[in-house]
Amino acid sequence: AIEVLRPSSIDELHSAVLARMGREEPLCVVVKSEEQAAYMRAVHAEQPGWEVTTVMTRSELDGGVVLTDGEGEWRLEDGEWSVRRMQRLLLPGAGESMNDAVYQESMFAADGTYVISGGLGYIGQLVAKAMIEHGAQRVVLLSSSRSSLPEDWEGKVQPVVEKCDLGDLGDVQRVFAAYGSTIRGIVHAAGVLSDGTVGELGREDFERVYRPKVGGAMNLQECSKELDLDFFVLFSSIASGFGGGGQTNYAAANGALDALAEERAARGA
């Protein structure tokens, strides 16, 4: 029979995988969150010879044996089994310039404030410059390490830089209190890597990645729950969808971010 694991948390899942590394026996891991599923995709990528099947379901799974049929990941939803497949997605306005289709001047209010976490990172700066180019007049960049713009910043608008620990709710509340109801949009682009193989990653490696990525997203959501936002954008990573050797922690954190985005979309936030 195939051993079946039903971990209740990412910590429990990581510990269970560590304890079984190097074994040849097949394994089935039943997960109930995108966070755990993303972690297992990274395990598959790192350990391609290990016969491990992941079952993603929010229902109770009866029985102790799951046939893989050559698939590494199955989903059970509303009594229906399925496997993950990539599909081409045609974006609205795909016949136009992508720049014009995504960034429209009407998205940015002249008196609005737009907050970008990880604002001095590569992605954060790209987003900030695109916003400014298309009409944003007040952009606030959150940075964990700096309180001023880099000297080589070029742009017709000079963003404000706020030094802020995204993992500290009080620190995020301090920033939001300074701008209040003028905040009209949030982009969460913060992220930290702490790579290593499954056997090398400890709790501190997960905490280092989770604090800004997941904790930051939850704190931004908490601080903006009473605001009338035009958008709340979360930058995830392809690591959550495909996994990546040496990045089980990063994949899991982005899986948690994907779940938050799905939950917000489901309630129209």
Side-chain angles (χ1 to χ4, degrees):
I2 300 176
E3 182 182 9
V4 179
L5 301 179
R6 293 178 171 85
S8 60
S9 67
I10 197 68
D11 284 342
E12 186 178 327
L13 174 57
H14 185 58
S15 296
V17 169
L18 282 178
R20 289 161 178 79
M21 291 290 292
R23 297 186 186 180
E24 296 183 356
E25 293 81 5
L27 182 67
C28 175
V29 182
V30 181
V31 301
K32 293 191 175 183
S33 70
E34 289 295 337
E35 174 188 23
Q36 293 178 337
Y39 173 95
M40 289 306 302
R41 288 174 204 132
V43 170
H44 278 283
E46 188 176 310
Q47 304 288 330
W50 193 12
E51 190 178 340
V52 182
T53 303
T54 303
V55 177
M56 169 68 178
T57 180
R58 292 181 173 84
S59 306
E60 291 301 320
L61 181 63
D62 296 326
V65 177
V66 177
L67 299 178
T68 67
D69 195 28
E71 297 289 343
E73 181 177 343
W74 288 85
R75 293 204 166 211
L76 176 60
E77 189 172 358
D78 298 326
E80 296 290 332
W81 288 93
S82 62
V83 294
R84 298 175 70 248
R85 290 289 185 267
M86 284 187 64
Q87 287 184 313
R88 181 183 293 273
L89 177 64
L90 185 63
L91 293 173
E96 312 167 28
S97 161
M98 181 58 68
N99 196 42
D100 293 336
V102 176
Y103 294 106
Q104 300 177 26
E105 290 196 25
S106 60
M107 291 178 64
F108 307 112
D111 58 350
T113 299
Y114 300 94
V115 177
I116 304 174
S117 69
L120 293 182
Y122 179 73
I123 294 175
Q125 289 195 47
L126 283 180
V127 172
K129 290 176 179 178
M131 283 183 171
I132 291 168
E133 183 66 24
H134 288 81
Q137 297 297 309
R138 187 187 303 151
V139 178
V140 177
L141 308 180
L142 306 186
S143 170
S144 62
S145 58
R146 294 177 57 111
S147 56
S148 61
L149 282 172
E151 294 181 0
D152 60 352
W153 175 271
E154 295 181 0
K156 58 186 179 182
V157 172
Q158 296 286 298
V160 175
V161 178
E162 296 276 3
K163 188 174 181 180
C164 178
D165 178 359
L166 288 172
D168 182 337
L169 178 58
D171 212 17
V172 180
Q173 288 174 329
R174 170 188 60 81
V175 173
F176 273 64
Y179 299 94
S181 61
T182 68
I183 297 176
R184 298 287 296 274
I186 296 171
V187 176
H188 183 40
V192 173
L193 295 176
S194 188
D195 294 351
T197 63
V198 174
E200 294 171 340
L201 295 178
R203 177 182 291 272
E204 66 279 1
D205 296 297
F206 279 81
E207 291 177 349
R208 190 175 299 120
V209 170
Y210 268 64
R211 184 178 178 87
K213 176 71 73 171
V214 183
M218 298 306 296
N219 288 339
L220 289 170
Q221 175 170 258
E222 174 64 23
C223 291
S224 63
K225 63 183 180 182
E226 302 299 330
L227 298 177
D228 183 19
L229 297 178
D230 294 326
F231 56 83
F232 187 103
V233 177
L234 299 165
F235 270 87
S236 182
S237 167
I238 197 170
S240 67
F242 292 92
Q247 291 192 324
T248 50
N249 53 353
Y250 188 66
N254 283 285
L257 214 62
D258 295 344
L260 176 60
E262 184 178 344
E263 182 269 327
R264 288 183 62 90
R267 58 184 171 86

